[in-house]
Amino acid sequence: MSNDKLKPMLFSNMKSYTKAQFLHDLIAGIIVAIIALPLSIALALASGVGPQQGIYTAIVAGFLISFFGGSRIQIAGPTAAFATIVAGIVARNGMDGLVLATILAGIIMIIFGLLRLGRLIRIIPYTITTGFTAGIAVTIVIGQLKDFFGLTYAAGLSPIETTEKISAFFASISTVNVQAVIVGLVCLAILIFYPGLCRKIPNQKVAHIAGVVPPSLLAVFAGIFMVKGLGMQVNTIGDLYTISSALPAFHVPSFNLSMLQSVMSDAFVIAILASIESLLSCVVADSMINSHHRSNMELIAQGIGNIGSALFGGIPATGAIARTAANAKNGGRTPVAGMVHAIVLLLVLVVLMPYAALIPMPTIAAILFMVAYNMCQWRPFVHLCKTAPKSDVIVLVLTFVLTVVFDLVVAIEFGMLCAVLLFLKRMSEQTEVHSWKYVEQDEEDAQADPDSISLRKVPRHVRVYEINGPLFFGATSCIADISVKEYTTCLILRMRSVPALDATALRSLEDLYARCKAHGITILFSHVNEQPMHTMEKAGFVELVGKENFCDHIDAALERAAQLR
């Protein structure tokens, strides 16, 4: 659950804040920072930017989103969902293009929050979110194959798209570095088996201490030991990137109208994706600590955090479910823990960042392989393919394929288009218009069926149609199916089962009214519900038809029809 209050959760929590809670938040913040460090670096490299950009994002966006956010324990920073889209923006428009897109996305999210669209953000179908999440996971894996296998691409070969990376991988397969594969496999084994080994340690205190050390950090240490201690010939971050421990610097991008137009669609995708992921993370966090987040305030905070991240050299950020869960698990209960996490990472940036140059690239690839596996949702994907309607499976697979083959922008656009069209098709199939059947029944049968037409005296000149389902632009053809006899002088439309009416359907009713009027036929409406009635009144249709021709129920409509003969 969530509420609509536009007040940062921090301000509410400070009213009853205690020293004991600060100690819990401090410990949780430090532990989350340790977890976030290797992930932030890995996700920055997967996004096509320098390792420090990931730390900048976790520091600036992490602090601002915790300070202004609507969740008690949300931890924000770079996430895998943005890796491919960020890499694409950087490749096309450079860092200035990424900064501009992120700032625009932040502005859009602030507008979402101010318009109180927190709950509406989650209307994107589950099939689409599952499809593009699985697609992102696959693209992350494909993007890390080069570093995991230690490949050397031919001069001038710099693939950007996923399909290009696959081609480049197979074209360079003969350059596999066996030592790089060994480092990658060892690190991957640590990431897979270390958590399980910690749980099997009989001594609870030792198990707790071991559990505090994240497997990604242990994999980093193991990778550095193999390369520097054992002398294995494997590329490190320092071999490929320039490492800087400088503090985040304020930078306003230079841009022009063409760049603004170029990144606008990317900005919307970043805003939608960040909104969805952050609010889903909030829901997970609520379930862990029995709390209720403020969705609209969280959206505003996400917008502020992304603008701040972009202006200080970072990349898009959102709520990170894994880091948020780690925060809850280690005692964090207020936004102070997220702020501590950001401050600790700032200290790490200044003191320890040069040592990041020692991290082997296969270690980074192994960490990202695990990130991709944890986010891919392959079980829900397979379950949907087996159990969902064929139309939903089409949307799921189409979104997945488009994410991998093209990019997230195309996938979401086409996925939403297909989902909307299929939804309209289903809704239009639910709307039907049928005429009452005039049959003779004896009194005993009539009493057994109290809703039967036989209970009502329907004059020969009256024709009754029952409309079931919403009347919207996808179902207006039903109105065109209404027909009358040569002797009909009164038409009754029974609308008790019509929950909604839109402008297009109203236009069809106006056309029907005009046709009936031309033939001297009076239209009566029976049991019009609140929303359709309001739409008709606002458009002047009630005045056009005559308020006296709108009846509360079918009996009143039949009585009026008898009077009009």
Side-chain angles (χ1 to χ4, degrees), residues 141-433:
V141 170
I142 293 172
Q144 296 306 308
L145 291 176
K146 174 182 179 293
D147 291 328
F148 188 85
F149 289 95
L151 302 182
T152 302
Y153 285 169
L157 186 60
S158 181
I160 297 174
E161 302 296 336
T162 303
T163 51
E164 294 174 349
K165 291 177 181 178
I166 295 174
S167 299
F169 172 76
F170 285 107
S172 308
I173 195 70
S174 60
T175 65
V176 169
N177 181 343
V178 176
Q179 295 185 16
V181 176
I182 293 173
V183 172
L185 288 174
V186 170
C187 293
L188 194 58
I190 292 172
L191 294 166
I192 294 172
F193 298 112
Y194 174 74
L197 292 175
C198 290
R199 289 192 292 269
K200 293 181 179 179
I201 297 175
N203 189 307
Q204 290 186 353
K205 290 185 177 180
V206 175
H208 178 71
I209 294 173
V212 167
V213 180
S216 55
L217 191 62
L218 191 63
V220 165
F221 289 145
I224 292 174
F225 172 75
M226 284 187 285
V227 173
K228 297 301 178 182
L230 302 180
M232 301 184 77
Q233 300 301 309
V234 176
N235 280 336
T236 63
I237 292 178
D239 295 330
L240 303 179
Y241 300 92
T242 301
I243 302 296
S244 172
S245 59
L247 294 174
F250 184 80
H251 170 68
V252 178
S254 59
F255 63 92
N256 50 46
L257 184 59
S258 62
M259 181 179 289
L260 187 66
Q261 294 173 334
S262 175
V263 302
M264 185 58 73
S265 62
D266 294 320
F268 268 101
V269 170
I270 292 173
I272 294 295
L273 192 57
S275 300
I276 294 171
E277 191 167 0
S278 64
L279 294 182
L280 287 177
S281 180
C282 285
V283 172
V284 173
D286 287 347
S287 66
M288 297 184 72
I289 63 171
N290 192 27
S291 178
H292 302 298
H293 71 279
R294 298 166 182 168
S295 58
N296 295 308
M297 191 65 236
E298 182 64 24
L299 289 178
I300 293 173
Q302 291 289 333
I304 294 171
N306 274 276
I307 292 173
S309 175
L311 292 175
F312 284 92
I315 59 178
T318 187
I321 295 177
R323 276 159 271 175
T324 299
N327 183 29
K329 180 181 177 182
N330 289 283
R333 289 298 180 272
T334 76
V336 172
M339 296 159 66
V340 169
H341 137 269
I343 294 171
V344 171
L345 284 175
L346 180 63
L347 298 175
V348 169
L349 172 70
V350 175
V351 179
L352 300 176
M353 194 60 188
Y355 295 101
L358 303 177
I359 302 175
M361 294 306 295
T363 300
I364 295 295
I367 291 172
L368 288 169
F369 282 171
M370 286 304 298
V371 169
Y373 176 80
N374 290 328
M375 74 175 290
C376 72
Q377 302 186 68
W378 67 269
R379 288 184 180 88
F381 192 100
V382 172
H383 179 72
L384 282 172
C385 289
K386 290 180 177 179
T387 61
K390 289 183 179 179
S391 57
D392 285 336
V393 175
I394 291 172
V395 173
L396 172 71
V397 175
L398 179 65
T399 306
F400 170 76
V401 172
L402 290 176
T403 302
V404 175
V405 177
F406 295 99
D407 58 41
L408 196 58
V409 178
V410 175
I412 290 181
E413 289 174 348
F414 276 86
M416 282 298 294
L417 178 62
C418 288
V420 168
L421 291 176
L422 289 170
F423 172 76
L424 293 177
K425 180 177 180 294
R426 289 174 187 165
M427 291 301 294
S428 64
E429 290 171 350
Q430 295 302 311
T431 302
E432 60 177 3
V433 177

Side-chain angles (χ1 to χ4, degrees), residues 54-78:
I55 305 296
Y56 293 167
T57 306
I59 293 171
V60 179
F63 187 90
L64 291 175
I65 292 173
S66 290
F67 187 89
F68 292 104
S71 172
R72 293 176 62 180
I73 61 171
Q74 176 93 287
I75 301 294

Side-chain angles (χ1 to χ4, degrees), residues 56-139:
Y56 293 167
T57 306
I59 293 171
V60 179
F63 187 90
L64 291 175
I65 292 173
S66 290
F67 187 89
F68 292 104
S71 172
R72 293 176 62 180
I73 61 171
Q74 176 93 287
I75 301 294
T79 62
F82 291 114
T84 53
I85 188 171
V86 169
I89 297 171
V90 172
R92 292 191 303 271
N93 299 307
M95 278 302 298
D96 277 356
L98 175 62
V99 171
L100 181 59
T102 308
I103 291 174
L104 291 174
I107 294 172
I108 293 169
M109 282 186 278
I110 292 175
I111 294 173
F112 284 165
L114 293 175
L115 294 178
R116 300 181 183 273
L117 300 179
R119 293 185 179 181
L120 294 180
I121 289 298
R122 283 179 279 174
I123 64 173
I124 292 185
Y126 179 60
T127 49
I128 292 180
T129 57
T130 303
F132 73 61
T133 300
I136 290 169
V138 171
T139 58

